[in-house]
Amino acid sequence: MPHTAVTIDDAFWAPRLRTNRADTLAHLYRELHRVGSIDAFRPNWQWPAEATQRGVWGGTPTMFWDSDVGKWLEAASYSLATHPDLQLDALLDQVIAIIGQAQHADGYLNTWFTSVDPQNRWKNLRDWHELYCAGHLMEAGVAHWEATGKRSLLDIVARYADHIADRFGTETEKLQGYCGHPEIELALVKLARATGEERYLELSRYFVEQRGQQPHFFDDEARARGDNPDDFWAKTYEYHQAHRPVREQDQVVGHAVRAMYLYCAMADLAGAYSDRSLLATCQRLWQHLTTTRMYVTAGIGTSKHNEGFTGDYDLPNESAYAETCAAIGLVFWAQRMLQLDCDRRYADIMELALYNSVLSSVTLDGQRFFYDNPLASNGQHHRQPWFACPCCPPNLARLFASLGQYIYAQSSNELVVHLYIAGAARTEVAGVPVVLHQQTNYPWDGTVTLRVESEGPATFGLRLRIPGWCSGAQVRVNGTAIDLEQSLEHGYVRIEREWQAGDTVVLDLPMPIETRHAHPDVVADVGQAALQRGPLIYCLEQADHDVPLHRIVLDDPAGLTAQAEADVLGGVTVLTGQAVALDTANWQGVLYRAEPPALQPCAIRAIPYFAWDNREAGPMRVWMPYRPQLGAPVDDLEAKRA
Amino acid sequence: MPHTAVTIDDAFWAPRLRTNRADTLAHLYRELHRVGSIDAFRPNWQWPAEATQRGVWGGTPTMFWDSDVGKWLEAASYSLATHPDLQLDALLDQVIAIIGQAQHADGYLNTWFTSVDPQNRWKNLRDWHELYCAGHLMEAGVAHWEATGKRSLLDIVARYADHIADRFGTETEKLQGYCGHPEIELALVKLARATGEERYLELSRYFVEQRGQQPHFFDDEARARGDNPDDFWAKTYEYHQAHRPVREQDQVVGHAVRAMYLYCAMADLAGAYSDRSLLATCQRLWQHLTTTRMYVTAGIGTSKHNEGFTGDYDLPNESAYAETCAAIGLVFWAQRMLQLDCDRRYADIMELALYNSVLSSVTLDGQRFFYDNPLASNGQHHRQPWFACPCCPPNLARLFASLGQYIYAQSSNELVVHLYIAGAARTEVAGVPVVLHQQTNYPWDGTVTLRVESEGPATFGLRLRIPGWCSGAQVRVNGTAIDLEQSLEHGYVRIEREWQAGDTVVLDLPMPIETRHAHPDVVADVGQAALQRGPLIYCLEQADHDVPLHRIVLDDPAGLTAQAEADVLGGVTVLTGQAVALDTANWQGVLYRAEPPALQPCAIRAIPYFAWDNREAGPMRVWMPYRPQLGAPVDDLEAKRA
């Protein structure tokens, strides 16, 4: 369901989305303007010297400037669509006019390869993000047209897409290439939907199917440039998920954002072409990602080195990369998987990512951002207003500005609620205009009231997600309890009936404080636990504790209570209660000894992970040593010893 | 007591020392010859291009080649002193003759600054190790003279020392400098003792006292070279322990080997000049090192970045640098502290280093070496035959070749036993020639029998160390138990009597298997324990376990037994028994869940840390999660909750 059909009117998201529209979009524009990304589209604009200085890999992040502008335009368009703003509308027209000046007669459009490096156009698809930039402009063109009905940017990007279709394909006179950074593939699907032009879908399919084929395009183009393919810095095309054809991939590898964008396109194409084998590939990759290579916050991508995946269960906390864009890409992919397969395993992760690894990336004022989202810190990691490679801030802005689209879904005779966020969805189902009102204090409270408002009775199925983290959920329709065991399909309760205006469904999703434990092969988390309540992962910050965090050991979570604190961190529910701490008494002048440190009771206070680093700097930890784990009874141990 | 007065005749060290003499010395000579370190002393020798390529810091490890040759000569001389060998004797003469050719008429002697960079002589004391190389040649000259009575090398280095004394000092016409890498300071003390020339001691004192004075010499010489002192890569003169005058230093900082060598010289000078304030400084630094910045193996120096110290309690295991040379330097310093202050706190650490962080650095065949000695490994860390900066292998060779000197000490009326190693010490005490025979299977067994053999009765005190790791020690003289509580002085039992030939003292030092626990602020070891028996720290290697090491949790060490295994790793005592392991059953397809992993009994087998990485490659860990720690009763917790 498009975000334009949805209103969000709650205490949690609505203020953040307001900040996104009012402050983040303005901040992004200021920064893009300051560094030159927008002016770079003007003819004869002079690039600052530092913007063209290449790194050891032969490129510079300023090669991707067009994509940042594209993402900002997309975010601003989403905002315009729900919150008309004449000034913003005019600003977009102005920027689009500048972009239009940069388009070549043949449709080509890229600032770097127009004014800095024109001789190298389409010469290094592996590294230089040329099609990636095109993709982000296309997503912007579609969003702008949807928001305003204006074809200005849509026509520009469609002409560019036509140019690309002339240059790329399996025909011998064309380049058999594809982009090192997937993005254009999913953008072309959007362009095809917006324009009704099947050829853009075909071009997307070509890019996806060509990926990883032999002889390998990246090898060939490297040789054509006079480079040795073996000199590629990352040493493996797993980095781009181009190590083998996509249908043969069964492990999530390489750069995490690239992986997510590729899988999005694969899911889109699986749907568009009813391609069961491509869907099966997506399901296999989803399973691999979420059962071996994902942080408990839904952060993904362990390593800074490749901005991506390493090995199964390799999930160190303090050095976790967990890039913001990767978490956002995971939300994109989850939504697409949900459209193909309404299973809560996708929605659970979408929710987990939204409330934790995505939300952690921005301050409450919407103007400072994390690029990487570690699960522990010594106090040195802080959000920044901008980055040399500023991919994350505008990515977050476009996700927030279109958040409405992730909450509901519908088919001709069904309405689905994936997320619990107060507000309403206006749509037509089974031929009847329907407004579904949602009232809740989620994520702080698990009571959700849905009220149907329709012009006359309407017979349709209402599908409601029962989150995987929740036990003991109850659902009542006009006060009558539903038998959940009977009606649960892949984690959704489905209520099919003739709905009358005023019918209400009340979900009660209990939110006890629980510990989360990692698979025993997650070396970083052995003997440790994280705290979770509802969809939120919690963390401890030094700011709330006198005892150094590293000495604190979690005890039974039954000793903790949740309490809403309106004045803390913009209003959050904190978890407080008793834990234990290693005692330093009797350790004066002793570094090692035969007796373990004594444990003393210690009060703790956990805050939602997303809210960390908003007070004085200091250590933070999600995973803490967990006393009941190692103190728990050992199966058969006593018997076997005896 | 000099190592020439001591014989070592045991099952543990004697084979290793034989290997050191027979194989390691030959291996070192081959390597030094192969790379060119020896030939570099020849006139007109051509340096290979790669030997003169400088790194980003402006130098190259080949600048320190002279020191490697010096350490090898020193080691070979120690070997000659106890095990005459005409061929080795001749080889040393030959190498010394080559060295002699390189000495300038004014006494100057350095290969790099003679043939590669003569214009920069004494121009960068901060980085370029010129005086450090001189120091190692001096130590070699003293050792060679002591071993052979030949003055060939001693005269060379004495002339060099005179040259240095002419160039360095507080007088205005001299350089007010000192070496970035302490070494010459302790070497000059040896040279003074060997030659009886007080001026070398004075020069050592000058170097030590000048260190860290303002205006800072490293600043001045940098400016004189046209460099900005702020560009120094390590950013702080803590790196060289030159951040302030040595008497004002109260924290061990910077490069660990440099620190140890400096503290050795400070201890030497404290003794030579009866300087109580310098002794107090050494004691303060010892206390700081051993209570905040030392691994449980006595490895020191946390970080690869500065090859040295970071912060208090910052002792990560897998990334531990714990350089071999630093552990050797700690043995040197401990011995010097013992000479000033016969307290077992020095001997305990000396022993701990010898049996663990030093011994781990070499294979049983004496030809492969660790430069850094981590306390955990993922299976990628292995000993190497040589290094671009080969400081560690010859350092180990000289320590092993002179090991006898660390076992005993004596004064006019006292004999001291610091270490328990079977063999004998021949000396004269209270005017009577005495042989003290030591019989023991240490470190595998704690029973030690000492037998006095003397020409007639002799009245002297016998001081025996009761190791700090030992409780319940018993000492019997000719079968009669000594009251330890009464006679213990700083951890040594002192037995003063008229000794008759054939008198025996039997020590019984119980060696139960115990856990070691770290101070609660050692973040890396929270909730974990290491295993120790006698002076040996143990580790687990994957080679002995089917369950991945990271899933194993130590249980009560009472469940473990020690057994000698003659065929394992050259004959070691292993610890076997029951622990527990995190169970992966019921975790298929699950990455996080609300219930912690179950624990299952699991057999473990621990080997001495020094013996790791001698079988197939695989993970290794010293510190393991410890179940009784977190399962232990919590003081007052229940009461406070109630």
Side-chain angles (χ1 to χ4, degrees):
Chain A
M1 194 179 296
H3 75 290
T4 45
V6 174
T7 53
I8 292 175
D9 180 20
D10 73 341
F12 188 86
W13 285 105
R16 287 181 165 79
L17 304 188
R18 220 165 16 244
T19 299
N20 187 55
R21 288 190 304 271
D23 304 319
T24 307
L25 286 176
H27 169 78
L28 297 180
Y29 179 75
R30 273 193 307 272
E31 291 293 321
L32 291 168
H33 195 267
R34 178 181 63 80
V35 299
S37 315
I38 292 169
D39 287 327
F41 283 96
R42 295 185 192 272
N44 305 322
W45 184 73
Q46 287 304 311
W47 289 63
E50 68 275 15
T52 59
Q53 267 161 22
R54 297 174 192 240
V56 285
W57 58 283
T60 153
T62 52
M63 285 179 160
F64 334 141
W65 268 0
D66 297 2
S67 68
D68 304 321
V69 177
K71 278 189 275 190
W72 172 77
L73 282 168
E74 186 186 346
S77 299
Y78 292 144
S79 175
L80 267 191
T82 53
H83 295 78
D85 177 332
L86 287 176
Q87 226 178 328
L88 183 60
D89 193 14
L91 180 63
L92 293 194
D93 287 343
Q94 200 183 318
V95 172
I96 290 166
I98 297 171
I99 291 174
Q101 293 173 25
Q103 188 161 36
H104 295 233
D106 65 1
Y108 184 81
L109 175 56
N110 182 295
T111 55
W112 178 273
F113 292 99
T114 293
S115 51
V116 181
D117 208 6
Q119 69 283 12
N120 280 320
R121 196 177 296 172
W122 308 134
K123 290 284 166 54
N124 186 343
L125 297 177
R126 188 189 70 191
D127 299 330
W128 289 349
H129 294 56
E130 213 166 347
L131 291 167
Y132 164 89
C133 285
H136 276 301
L137 291 174
M138 289 172 195
E139 286 199 86
V142 171
H144 184 248
W145 169 73
E146 285 174 349
T148 63
K150 299 178 193 173
R151 298 193 59 95
S152 50
L153 187 56
L154 185 66
D155 285 345
I156 289 171
V157 299
R159 277 200 304 277
Y160 191 12
D162 293 336
H163 173 81
I164 290 167
D166 284 344
R167 298 300 310 269
F168 291 89
T170 51
E171 300 89 335
T172 47
E173 74 277 12
K174 294 185 177 178
L175 277 172
Q176 277 86 53
Y178 46 88
C179 194
H181 197 316
E183 153 61 24
I184 193 170
E185 296 82 353
L186 71 87
L188 285 164
V189 174
K190 289 187 175 182
L191 188 62
R193 285 193 200 126
T195 59
E197 298 289 351
E198 172 99 6
R199 66 178 186 280
Y200 300 132
L201 200 60
E202 284 296 318
L203 183 58
S204 170
R205 181 153 74 164
Y206 156 76
F207 281 133
V208 168
E209 299 291 358
Q210 182 62 16
R211 196 166 201 88
Q213 300 291 347
Q214 292 292 347
H216 204 286
F217 179 76
F218 292 165
D219 286 347
D220 291 345
E221 67 158 11
R223 288 192 202 97
R225 288 193 308 267
D227 289 347
N228 182 345
D230 295 340
D231 292 342
F232 173 51
W233 72 269
K235 297 299 170 201
T236 164
Y237 297 148
E238 286 190 356
Y239 179 69
H240 330 79
Q241 299 78 41
H243 54 301
R244 62 177 64 147
V246 297
R247 286 165 200 275
E248 295 170 24
Q249 298 188 20
D250 51 9
Q251 297 222 320
V252 294
V253 293
H255 188 282
V257 183
R258 297 174 198 233
M260 293 306 104
Y261 287 8
L262 173 63
Y263 305 157
C264 282
M266 286 161 61
D268 282 338
L269 294 171
Y273 291 104
S274 302
D275 185 330
R276 297 188 66 82
S277 112
L278 204 53
L279 173 60
T281 301
C282 288
Q283 288 169 328
R284 202 164 63 228
L285 291 167
W286 182 273
Q287 178 73 4
H288 181 245
L289 173 64
T290 57
T291 63
T292 66
R293 297 190 173 186
M294 185 185 76
Y295 285 95
V296 73
T297 55
I300 56 171
T302 289
S303 171
K304 183 186 179 81
H305 169 69
N306 65 346
E307 300 193 298
F309 302 103
T310 54
D312 287 353
Y313 305 115
D314 181 27
L315 297 163
N317 293 304
E318 193 166 336
S319 64
Y321 198 64
E323 185 182 335
T324 299
C325 284
I328 291 169
L330 179 57
V331 171
F332 294 163
W333 185 28
Q335 185 201 32
R336 285 164 169 86
M337 294 305 289
L338 271 176
Q339 285 168 357
L340 302 173
D341 178 10
C342 188
D343 189 313
R344 78 169 170 208
R345 63 182 163 149
Y346 305 113
D348 282 350
I349 300 292
M350 183 169 83
E351 179 182 73
L352 188 69
L354 269 178
Y355 284 92
N356 299 282
S357 52
V358 169
L359 196 52
S360 64
S361 71
V362 61
T363 43
L364 278 174
D365 72 1
Q367 296 186 57
R368 298 177 76 88
F369 308 87
F370 279 142
Y371 195 107
D372 44 329
N373 295 269
L375 282 78
S377 169
N378 61 8
Q380 303 294 310
H381 190 67
H382 308 297
R383 296 181 187 83
Q384 307 294 332
W386 201 246
F387 303 94
C389 176
C391 51
C392 300
N395 220 351
L396 192 82
R398 67 181 181 142
L399 172 66
F400 276 14
S402 63
L403 188 70
Q405 68 175 301
Y406 300 92
I407 306 174
Y408 306 94
Q410 74 165 109
S411 64
S412 59
N413 62 351
E414 201 170 78
L415 268 181
V416 188
V417 187
H418 294 312
L419 299 177
Y420 298 111
I421 297 176
R426 277 154 217 283
T427 185
E428 196 179 284
V429 61
V432 182
V434 170
V435 183
L436 185 64
H437 291 275
Q438 187 179 162
Q439 250 191 317
T440 178
N441 194 27
Y442 205 89
W444 309 122
D445 183 275
T447 303
V448 181
T449 303
L450 296 159
R451 186 167 52 78
V452 174
E453 188 188 300
S454 62
E455 299 181 4
T459 300
F460 61 88
L462 184 64
R463 221 181 252 272
L464 310 174
R465 171 172 153 262
I466 307 300
W469 52 258
C470 181
S471 339
Q474 293 192 326
V475 181
R476 281 165 294 157
V477 179
N478 296 330
T480 307
I482 298 278
D483 180 347
L484 271 191
E485 300 248 326
Q486 283 287 325
S487 51
L488 216 57
E489 294 174 21
H490 302 297
Y492 285 74
V493 55
R494 186 171 189 283
I495 309 164
E496 166 101 42
R497 53 178 277 149
E498 190 187 73
W499 297 94
Q500 310 289 337
D503 279 353
T504 58
V505 181
V506 177
L507 278 87
D508 182 27
L509 305 172
M511 288 186 173
I513 301 163
E514 290 191 321
T515 49
R516 302 297 285 169
H517 302 271
H519 187 286
D521 287 327
V522 181
V523 179
D525 301 338
V526 166
Q528 303 192 77
L531 291 169
Q532 179 166 11
R533 180 172 179 271
L536 296 174
I537 301 296
Y538 278 72
C539 70
L540 269 63
E541 274 198 301
Q542 195 61 63
D544 292 312
H545 300 88
D546 295 328
V547 175
L549 283 198
H550 62 259
R551 284 199 224 138
I552 297 177
V553 175
L554 290 186
D555 212 336
D556 185 348
L560 301 178
T561 55
Q563 61 198 78
E565 303 215 351
D567 301 334
V568 173
L569 296 160
V572 297
T573 293
V574 301
L575 314 182
T576 58
Q578 204 74 283
V580 293
L582 273 59
D583 192 1
T584 51
N586 306 318
W587 277 93
Q588 284 76 11
V590 177
L591 185 52
Y592 302 105
R593 70 181 198 194
E595 300 75 39
L599 298 173
Q600 293 292 345
C602 159
I604 61 165
R605 180 181 171 92
I607 62 164
Y609 169 72
F610 72 74
W612 84 277
D613 193 40
N614 277 296
R615 298 176 295 178
E616 67 260 46
M620 179 279 292
R621 288 183 68 159
V622 170
W623 291 95
M624 302 290 295
Y626 183 58
R627 184 168 174 261
Q629 155 70 13
L630 299 183
V634 178
D635 301 359
D636 296 327
L637 180 58
E638 299 309 321
K640 285 191 188 174
R641 270 200 185 152
Chain B
M1 195 178 298
H3 75 292
T4 45
V6 175
T7 54
I8 291 175
D9 180 20
D10 73 340
F12 188 86
W13 285 105
R16 287 182 164 81
L17 304 188
R18 223 166 10 245
T19 298
N20 187 55
R21 289 191 302 271
D23 303 320
T24 306
L25 286 177
H27 168 79
L28 297 180
Y29 179 75
R30 274 194 307 273
E31 292 294 321
L32 291 169
H33 194 267
R34 179 180 64 78
V35 299
S37 316
I38 292 169
D39 288 327
F41 284 97
R42 293 184 193 273
N44 305 320
W45 184 72
Q46 286 303 308
W47 288 63
E50 69 273 16
T52 59
Q53 267 162 24
R54 298 174 191 238
V56 284
W57 58 283
T60 154
T62 52
M63 285 179 161
F64 334 141
W65 268 359
D66 298 1
S67 68
D68 305 321
V69 176
K71 278 190 274 190
W72 172 76
L73 282 168
E74 185 186 347
S77 298
Y78 292 145
S79 175
L80 267 190
T82 52
H83 295 78
D85 176 332
L86 287 176
Q87 227 178 327
L88 183 60
D89 194 15
L91 180 63
L92 294 194
D93 287 342
Q94 200 182 316
V95 172
I96 290 166
I98 296 171
I99 293 174
Q101 293 173 26
Q103 188 161 38
H104 295 231
D106 65 0
Y108 185 80
L109 175 57
N110 181 296
T111 56
W112 179 273
F113 291 99
T114 292
S115 50
V116 181
D117 209 5
Q119 69 283 12
N120 280 319
R121 198 177 295 174
W122 308 134
K123 291 284 166 54
N124 186 344
L125 297 177
R126 187 189 71 192
D127 299 331
W128 289 350
H129 292 57
E130 214 166 346
L131 291 168
Y132 165 87
C133 286
H136 277 300
L137 291 174
M138 290 172 195
E139 286 200 86
V142 171
H144 183 250
W145 169 73
E146 286 175 347
T148 64
K150 299 179 193 173
R151 299 192 59 96
S152 50
L153 188 56
L154 185 66
D155 285 345
I156 290 171
V157 300
R159 277 200 303 277
Y160 192 11
D162 292 335
H163 173 81
I164 292 166
D166 283 346
R167 298 301 309 268
F168 291 89
T170 50
E171 300 89 335
T172 47
E173 73 277 12
K174 294 185 178 180
L175 277 171
Q176 277 86 52
Y178 46 89
C179 193
H181 196 316
E183 153 61 24
I184 193 169
E185 296 82 355
L186 72 87
L188 285 165
V189 174
K190 288 188 176 185
L191 187 62
R193 285 193 199 126
T195 60
E197 298 288 353
E198 173 97 6
R199 67 178 184 278
Y200 300 133
L201 200 62
E202 284 297 319
L203 183 58
S204 170
R205 183 156 71 164
Y206 157 75
F207 281 134
V208 168
E209 299 291 359
Q210 182 62 16
R211 199 166 200 88
Q213 299 291 349
Q214 291 294 347
H216 205 286
F217 178 77
F218 293 166
D219 286 346
D220 291 345
E221 66 157 11
R223 289 194 203 97
R225 286 193 307 269
D227 290 346
N228 183 344
D230 295 341
D231 291 343
F232 173 51
W233 72 269
K235 297 298 168 203
T236 164
Y237 298 147
E238 287 191 355
Y239 178 69
H240 329 79
Q241 298 79 42
H243 53 302
R244 62 176 68 148
V246 298
R247 287 166 200 275
E248 294 170 25
Q249 297 188 20
D250 51 10
Q251 297 221 323
V252 294
V253 294
H255 189 282
V257 183
R258 297 175 198 231
M260 293 305 106
Y261 287 8
L262 173 63
Y263 305 158
C264 281
M266 286 161 62
D268 282 338
L269 294 171
Y273 291 103
S274 302
D275 185 331
R276 297 188 66 81
S277 112
L278 204 53
L279 173 61
T281 301
C282 289
Q283 287 169 328
R284 202 164 63 227
L285 291 166
W286 182 273
Q287 177 73 1
H288 181 244
L289 172 65
T290 57
T291 63
T292 65
R293 298 192 172 185
M294 184 186 75
Y295 285 95
V296 74
T297 56
I300 56 171
T302 288
S303 172
K304 184 188 177 81
H305 170 70
N306 64 346
E307 300 193 297
F309 301 103
T310 54
D312 286 353
Y313 305 115
D314 181 28
L315 297 163
N317 293 303
E318 192 166 335
S319 64
Y321 198 64
E323 185 183 338
T324 298
C325 284
I328 291 170
L330 179 56
V331 171
F332 294 164
W333 186 28
Q335 185 202 30
R336 285 165 168 85
M337 294 304 288
L338 271 176
Q339 285 168 359
L340 302 174
D341 178 11
C342 188
D343 189 311
R344 78 169 170 209
R345 64 181 163 148
Y346 306 113
D348 282 350
I349 300 291
M350 183 169 82
E351 179 181 73
L352 188 69
L354 268 178
Y355 283 93
N356 299 283
S357 52
V358 169
L359 196 52
S360 64
S361 70
V362 61
T363 45
L364 278 175
D365 72 1
Q367 297 185 56
R368 297 177 77 89
F369 308 87
F370 279 142
Y371 195 106
D372 44 327
N373 296 269
L375 281 78
S377 169
N378 62 7
Q380 305 292 308
H381 189 68
H382 308 298
R383 297 181 187 84
Q384 307 294 331
W386 199 245
F387 304 92
C389 177
C391 51
C392 301
N395 221 351
L396 192 82
R398 67 181 180 141
L399 173 66
F400 276 15
S402 62
L403 187 69
Q405 69 176 299
Y406 299 93
I407 306 174
Y408 306 94
Q410 74 166 109
S411 64
S412 59
N413 61 350
E414 200 170 77
L415 268 180
V416 187
V417 187
H418 296 310
L419 299 177
Y420 298 109
I421 297 177
R426 276 155 220 284
T427 186
E428 196 180 282
V429 61
V432 182
V434 170
V435 182
L436 185 65
H437 291 275
Q438 186 178 164
Q439 249 191 319
T440 178
N441 192 29
Y442 206 90
W444 309 123
D445 184 274
T447 303
V448 180
T449 303
L450 296 159
R451 187 167 50 79
V452 174
E453 190 187 301
S454 64
E455 297 179 9
T459 301
F460 62 87
L462 183 64
R463 219 181 252 273
L464 309 174
R465 172 174 150 259
I466 307 300
W469 52 259
C470 181
S471 341
Q474 293 191 327
V475 181
R476 281 164 296 158
V477 179
N478 295 331
T480 306
I482 296 278
D483 181 346
L484 272 191
E485 299 247 329
Q486 284 287 325
S487 50
L488 217 57
E489 293 174 20
H490 303 298
Y492 285 74
V493 54
R494 186 169 190 283
I495 309 164
E496 165 102 41
R497 52 179 277 146
E498 189 187 72
W499 297 94
Q500 309 290 339
D503 280 352
T504 60
V505 180
V506 177
L507 276 88
D508 182 27
L509 305 172
M511 287 186 172
I513 301 164
E514 290 191 320
T515 48
R516 302 297 286 172
H517 302 271
H519 188 285
D521 286 328
V522 181
V523 179
D525 300 337
V526 166
Q528 302 193 78
L531 291 169
Q532 178 166 10
R533 181 173 178 271
L536 296 173
I537 300 297
Y538 278 72
C539 70
L540 270 65
E541 274 200 301
Q542 195 60 64
D544 293 312
H545 300 89
D546 296 329
V547 175
L549 282 198
H550 63 257
R551 282 199 226 136
I552 297 177
V553 175
L554 290 187
D555 212 334
D556 186 347
L560 301 177
T561 55
Q563 60 197 79
E565 303 216 351
D567 301 334
V568 173
L569 295 161
V572 297
T573 292
V574 301
L575 313 183
T576 60
Q578 204 75 282
V580 294
L582 273 59
D583 192 1
T584 52
N586 306 319
W587 277 93
Q588 284 76 14
V590 176
L591 185 52
Y592 302 104
R593 71 180 198 197
E595 301 75 38
L599 298 173
Q600 293 292 345
C602 159
I604 59 163
R605 180 180 170 91
I607 62 164
Y609 169 72
F610 71 74
W612 84 278
D613 192 41
N614 276 296
R615 298 175 298 177
E616 67 261 44
M620 178 279 291
R621 287 183 69 157
V622 169
W623 290 95
M624 303 290 296
Y626 182 60
R627 183 168 173 263
Q629 156 69 15
L630 298 183
V634 177
D635 299 0
D636 296 328
L637 181 58
E638 300 310 321
K640 286 193 186 169
R641 269 200 185 150

